[in-house]
Amino acid sequence: MERKKVAVGPESVRMLELGHPWIIADPYTKKWPAGAAGELVELVDGGGRFLATALLDPGERIVARVLGRERLTLDKGWLAKRLRAALRLRESHAGRDGTDAWRLVNGEGDGLPGLTVDRYGDYIMVQLYSAAWRPHLKTLTRALEELLRPAGIYEKARPRQTRELEAVSDTKRYGRLLSGAPAPQRLPVRENGLTFLVELEQGLNTGLFLDQRKNRRELMGRVAGKRVLNLFAYTGAFSVAAAAAGASLVTGVDASPTYTDWAKANFGANRLNPKRHEFVVGDCLDVLAELQRQGKRYDIVLMDPPSFSTTAKSRFTTRGGTAELVAAALPLLEEGGLLITSSNHQKVDVADYLKELRRGALQGGSELRVISLAGQPEDFPYPVTFPEGRYLKYAVSVKGGGLR
């Protein structure tokens, strides 16, 4: 059967020639014949010249995702080839000592746009960021089974209103078992020699953000004997890393009592006594004000907020909210101490993020000097032709230090 050919406009032709893997909906794509999500189409220019094979996702902003610059068939053999290439990259370049939780497929970075595959111990987690992958999920599952022989494979659903649901999704099941045996409700996995408990069925997320693994290891080299304040602590992965590496006190702050209890469980999983540290449930800005009133001081303040979060009293967004948070945190930080800030907001680039830190420093009346600026680890690759893939910003800055 001959594959459908769809013409793209001059701007899309230019972006394809530059290597970008997305076709954004525009007046040209609106003229395409009707098609189903997951259908393979051939992208052609106005003269009918073949450009690429793409996965159709009609009705979405990203209306097609490029699978290759050649004609291809999306079958188990083709998927297995892409999966083996992704595995080779990790085996060659992503140091995983003491780690069995890592990313195998990072969407566009592994030539499988709109799809991620993560390994959690003996289990695999698949996430579809495009409905175009839904018709191919069984084929993908079989390819993963043959390549990795996991105990089980799960899919974690990505609902449309992800941001709004984050505050109320602690216990709702978004994961489902695709094949194999079910995992325990809380599955222990290893990262940097530490143990973390993840949930493959409940919640929008598993409880461990794999893209911060290298940054947590970096933190462990800085914290011995230090007082650490961890804002937006979530399930306490950074807190556990700091405590295990010899921090004298770790104060974790999060708005969710469920995540705070989970953080305590993660401490226990590493034989760390949670009673030697502090766990505070509350809105981070409110807690910062209260800690300042109490005269508390820290050697390291770390903040890794979600792109968007809502509590009963306030709403936080990375775009515009970071400066206020930095300004509120700086009075608690010792001169010469470290402010560690992170953002995973794809639409905020590094230059704009540094402007947010600058605004926060000016509002807080402090000097900040960036000594390290990192991103995601090697198992989260992205093509140089796809700048959107470089989403994680992780800045380590020194406060003051005698410059005034």
Side-chain angles (χ1 to χ4, degrees):
M1 182 171 136
E2 188 174 351
R3 189 162 294 154
K4 189 182 297 177
K5 294 179 174 63
V6 295
V8 297
E11 181 62 23
S12 293
V13 171
R14 188 179 73 86
M15 293 304 292
L16 285 169
E17 289 174 344
L18 290 173
H20 202 281
W22 292 350
I23 299 297
I24 305 299
D26 64 14
Y28 291 90
T29 66
K30 289 179 182 178
K31 298 175 184 176
W32 290 0
E39 181 181 348
L40 263 65
V41 294
E42 292 187 2
L43 304 178
V44 299
D45 65 12
R49 176 174 61 98
F50 173 82
L51 300 170
T53 302
L55 206 51
L56 194 62
D57 196 0
E60 296 296 322
R61 172 179 170 268
I62 306 171
V63 72
R65 298 170 192 259
V66 174
L67 296 180
R69 310 289 160 166
E70 71 283 351
R71 292 179 171 88
L72 59 88
T73 300
L74 205 174
D75 55 17
K76 185 159 64 73
W78 182 87
L79 277 169
K81 186 177 179 180
R82 288 281 164 103
L83 292 172
R84 285 194 296 269
L87 186 58
R88 282 196 302 271
L89 184 146
R90 275 78 182 165
E91 291 172 344
S92 299
H93 302 293
R96 303 196 308 269
D97 290 345
T99 296
D100 64 7
W102 45 276
R103 176 151 291 185
L104 170 62
V105 171
N106 192 47
E108 289 76 3
D110 290 294
L112 295 167
L115 171 70
T116 66
V117 180
D118 294 321
R119 179 130 211 178
Y120 290 97
D122 292 331
Y123 287 83
I124 297 296
M125 173 66 74
V126 174
Q127 292 191 85
L128 311 183
Y129 289 80
S130 165
W133 281 104
R134 179 68 53 195
H136 308 286
L137 185 56
K138 287 184 179 180
T139 305
L140 173 67
T141 301
R142 289 196 297 271
L144 288 167
E145 286 173 333
E146 292 182 11
L147 178 66
L148 300 171
R149 305 292 180 187
I153 299 177
Y154 279 82
E155 179 200 0
K156 184 79 87 170
R158 302 299 308 176
R160 286 180 178 270
Q161 302 301 319
T162 300
R163 290 176 172 180
E164 290 78 355
L165 288 168
E166 280 176 350
V168 295
S169 64
D170 291 352
T171 58
K172 187 171 180 180
R173 290 190 177 185
Y174 287 97
R176 67 184 182 106
L177 185 65
L178 299 177
S179 73
Q185 180 179 348
R186 286 210 170 152
L187 173 71
V189 298
R190 300 285 287 172
E191 179 194 87
N192 299 326
L194 300 172
T195 298
F196 295 98
L197 305 173
V198 298
E199 293 189 355
L200 303 186
E201 281 196 358
Q202 291 186 326
L204 281 170
N205 300 300
T206 63
L208 183 66
F209 292 118
L210 304 181
D211 55 1
Q212 293 282 19
R213 179 184 72 253
K214 202 169 182 179
N215 296 326
R216 279 189 282 269
R217 186 169 69 239
E218 196 270 351
L219 175 72
M220 293 174 74
R222 298 184 182 274
V223 297
K226 303 291 179 64
R227 297 160 296 170
V228 178
L229 175 62
N230 182 17
L231 303 172
F232 302 94
Y234 187 41
T235 60
F238 275 105
S239 295
V240 167
S248 60
L249 172 69
V250 180
T251 301
V253 181
D254 198 273
S256 168
T258 301
Y259 290 152
T260 300
D261 288 342
W262 195 339
K264 292 177 182 178
N266 276 331
F267 268 67
N270 290 279
R271 298 185 179 180
L272 297 167
N273 186 351
K275 293 182 179 179
R276 293 183 180 177
H277 301 277
E278 296 175 341
F279 299 83
V280 182
V281 177
D283 176 81
C284 280
L285 287 171
D286 290 344
V287 173
L288 285 171
E290 176 60 22
L291 292 174
Q292 186 177 358
R293 189 188 67 78
Q294 295 174 10
K296 294 290 184 71
R297 304 283 283 182
Y298 297 89
D299 304 297
I300 298 174
V301 175
L302 184 147
M303 55 183 75
D304 180 26
S307 297
F308 177 100
S309 68
T310 301
T311 67
K313 293 184 178 180
S314 68
R315 173 173 290 197
F316 174 84
T317 59
T318 298
R319 188 190 294 272
T322 298
E324 181 184 6
L325 193 59
V326 167
L330 282 171
L332 298 165
L333 184 61
E334 296 283 9
E335 283 292 308
L338 295 180
L339 178 69
I340 302 177
T341 57
S342 183
S343 170
N344 67 352
H345 198 312
Q346 187 184 67
K347 294 182 180 179
V348 177
D349 66 17
V350 172
D352 287 339
Y353 188 64
L354 291 175
K355 289 177 184 177
E356 280 291 301
L357 298 187
R358 179 182 69 189
R359 282 193 284 270
L362 292 172
Q363 289 174 29
S366 296
E367 185 82 26
L368 276 181
R369 288 179 287 169
V370 177
I371 60 171
S372 176
L373 186 59
Q376 60 254 38
E378 294 88 344
D379 48 330
F380 285 73
Y382 56 93
V384 294
T385 56
F386 182 65
E388 296 90 339
R390 202 274 193 217
Y391 66 91
L392 187 64
K393 283 77 62 180
Y394 183 88
V396 181
S397 305
V398 178
K399 177 185 175 181
L403 289 183
R404 291 180 179 272

